[in-house]
Amino acid sequence: MRLRRVGKRFRRADNWVLRDVDARLEPGRLVRVDGANGSGKSTLLRVIAGTTRPDRGRVHGRPPTAYVPERFPGDLPFTPADYLAHMGRIHGLSTARAVERAGELLELFGAHGYARTPMRALSKGTSQKVAVAQALLAEPGLLVLDEAWTGLDPPSRAILDSAVRERVVHGGTVVFVDHDALRLADTVDTTLLVRDGQVTRVPPSIELLVHGPRRVSVPASLVRIDVDLGMAADVASTPMPPALVTALRSMPGVRDVCPRPDGHVNGYRVDVDPDVCADVLRALLADPATRIRRVAEEEPGT
Amino acid sequence: MIPPRVLPLARYQLALLLRSQCWVAPVVLYAALVVGGAAGGQELGDSLAWAGAALIPVTAWVSRLVVTAESTAERAVVAAVVGPRRVQATALAVALLFAAVLGAAGVVFEYFASVKPPPGAPRSAGSVLLQGVIVVVICLLAGSAAGAVSAPPLVHGRGPGLAALAAVVLAWLVMPLSPANAAIRSQYTAAPDPTFALLAPVIGVLVLTVLAWTTSLVCVGRGRA
């Protein structure tokens, strides 16, 4: 599907929330939308989902769509089972199939115990599970998720992650916003940045680092990670590197771990082969006190 | 003839209306107006005009209820599947159907509760009934138009919505130029040819209702969620 010169503003006197947005969303792609709070991410998602119509420009070729809004109050006089059956029929399923899919999804998200509880009595998290489940009922060609992970428990987040991957593998387009920069970072194909009404494709830094050369045209021969390793203030003066440095040095594909030339007391520079970059970053991020300063592709010897 | 997914959508919206029990108040209002208005001894034509007049606020109210039955987020979920215009059009149609059932019940009640023209009268019971039904249909459409223009996306919020609803319903009922007013009046006054007298109101109400629905559908999906 395509967005052509899409513009959106909510009042005539207002600035354009989106201006001249051109974007192509291909089947089988996972698209992340980034931007500051209030930058228009949610508006872009609603325009893509078709729930908000643009004031200028057009959206072409939208496939069958499912949408999970940013907040889903679930303030409806139904039980989750009834609501999902209705939504399944609206998504084009037969009643029998809708009821079956509703049961499967509630079971999957561990919410089958609430299938007959009035939606108004559900917790925020369980409401969110219902909102996510309705979007997965009918295997949509376009799935739009506006912070759909927020409020879900960790197992449900993982289930949603794998549901998204499955959609993408089966040729669906998935567009999402999430505050977690690492969300599905290994699967994201495109990152769109919304800023000042403009939408730009950005080189997705996290995606690049996690995936290394698979995603760049010229394979980098080295990825350099500048990092501040977590150390308590009172031991910061100790010249001894923390245990993590030793651990890093022993990891395959790590070429060098040395103190950073800027002389920062707990700053280190880690040079790694691009194909182990993801593992090294994971190892670094496992320590919550670790701060990644910079990740860049370098030619060896620089 | 019915576009795909509209029937499940209509079923969902009707279920929302019925399960929310919001329908009770307008139904009770209509029953009170129709039954309470039948003090006994009215002629059939007058009674049907009364049943029609009562249907205007009730239809407008039910239309607002169906259109505003969900929060914006839940509405957006459905709009993503079928499109915001189809959601809005189906909601207005569901309300119209619900009110039509009420109107039909009103007609049946008035038919049995009112004094029918004696055999040999200048106008037969059948023709009076037919004209009365036309008046009720005019009022039904007028109510639907009033509901469409006093609900989102044209008027947001409960207070402004109800104020707009009251104003539009009042205008339909009392403004001399209003097709509904003309139709109701034609039943009370002895027009030379009552069926012909209803032609202009029918055209007028059709035009205004189409205009109200179209405005609502054009504006839906434009605003902030």
Side-chain angles (χ1 to χ4, degrees), chain A residues 41-72:
Chain A
K41 297 190 296 279
S42 288
T43 302
L44 177 65
L45 253 56
R46 285 201 299 269
V47 168
I48 290 172
T51 70
T52 294
R53 289 184 301 122
D55 297 312
R56 293 221 181 125
R58 295 191 72 90
V59 180
H60 299 278
R62 182 186 294 111
T65 305
Y67 170 61
V68 180
E70 198 179 352
R71 281 180 293 264
F72 184 80

Side-chain angles (χ1 to χ4, degrees), chain B residues 3-217:
Chain B
R5 304 198 175 171
V6 160
L7 285 182
L9 177 60
R11 181 172 169 184
Y12 164 72
Q13 288 172 333
L14 189 63
L16 262 178
L17 176 69
L18 296 180
R19 293 260 191 110
S20 71
Q21 292 165 8
C22 291
W23 56 271
V24 174
V27 169
V28 166
L29 172 71
Y30 188 65
L33 287 174
V34 169
V35 177
Q42 279 101 339
E43 288 184 15
L44 180 59
D46 296 1
S47 303
L48 289 174
W50 172 256
L55 199 57
I56 297 180
V58 170
T59 310
W61 190 355
V62 173
S63 301
R64 248 193 72 79
L65 287 177
V66 180
V67 170
T68 60
E70 307 154 286
S71 75
T72 41
E74 290 137 359
R75 204 171 156 78
V77 163
V78 179
V81 187
V82 293
R85 281 182 179 159
R86 200 167 280 181
V87 174
Q88 184 77 0
T90 311
L92 292 173
V94 163
L96 188 64
L97 276 176
F98 185 88
V101 172
L102 283 185
V107 168
V108 170
F109 173 83
E110 298 293 12
Y111 183 79
F112 289 108
S114 308
V115 178
K116 284 165 274 296
R123 287 172 61 203
S124 70
S127 97
V128 171
L129 180 66
L130 178 68
Q131 283 151 22
V133 168
I134 294 172
V135 171
V136 169
V137 170
I138 289 173
C139 292
L140 180 71
L141 291 173
S144 176
V149 297
S150 59
L154 300 179
V155 180
H156 290 278
R158 196 184 163 85
L162 292 179
L165 187 140
V168 179
V169 166
L170 207 62
W172 274 125
L173 285 172
V174 302
M175 286 225 323
L177 277 177
S178 141
N181 177 285
I184 293 163
R185 258 186 302 129
S186 77
Q187 290 300 99
Y188 285 102
T189 53
D193 185 347
T195 311
F196 184 73
L198 285 176
L199 188 62
V202 165
I203 294 170
V205 83
L206 276 175
V207 168
L208 289 172
T209 307
V210 168
L211 203 66
W213 276 48
T214 310
T215 315
S216 175
L217 297 191

Side-chain angles (χ1 to χ4, degrees), chain A residues 101-130:
Chain A
R101 280 294 289 159
E104 284 169 18
L105 285 163
L106 288 175
E107 176 103 45
L108 187 65
F109 284 105
H112 51 287
Y114 300 99
R116 298 279 161 208
T117 307
M119 281 173 75
R120 284 176 176 148
L122 295 179
S123 70
K124 188 169 173 287
T126 311
S127 275
Q128 187 62 20
K129 289 178 181 180
V130 175

Side-chain angles (χ1 to χ4, degrees), chain A residues 32 34 180-188 191 202-212 215 277-278 281 285 292 295:
Chain A
R32 179 187 177 88
D34 269 334
D180 180 357
L182 288 170
R183 171 77 53 216
L184 292 161
D186 55 346
T187 320
V188 167
T191 301
V202 289
S205 53
I206 293 290
E207 159 201 342
L208 185 75
L209 8 135
V210 172
H211 262 305
R215 307 260 161 175
C277 181
L281 279 170
L285 291 171
I292 309 271
V295 182

Side-chain angles (χ1 to χ4, degrees), chain A residues 8 51 53-54 71 74-75 90, chain B residues 73-74 85 218 220-222:
Chain A
K8 183 73 208 166
T51 70
R53 289 184 301 122
R71 281 180 293 264
D75 190 18
I90 294 171
Chain B
E74 290 137 359
R85 281 182 179 159
V218 164
V220 79
R222 290 254 187 240

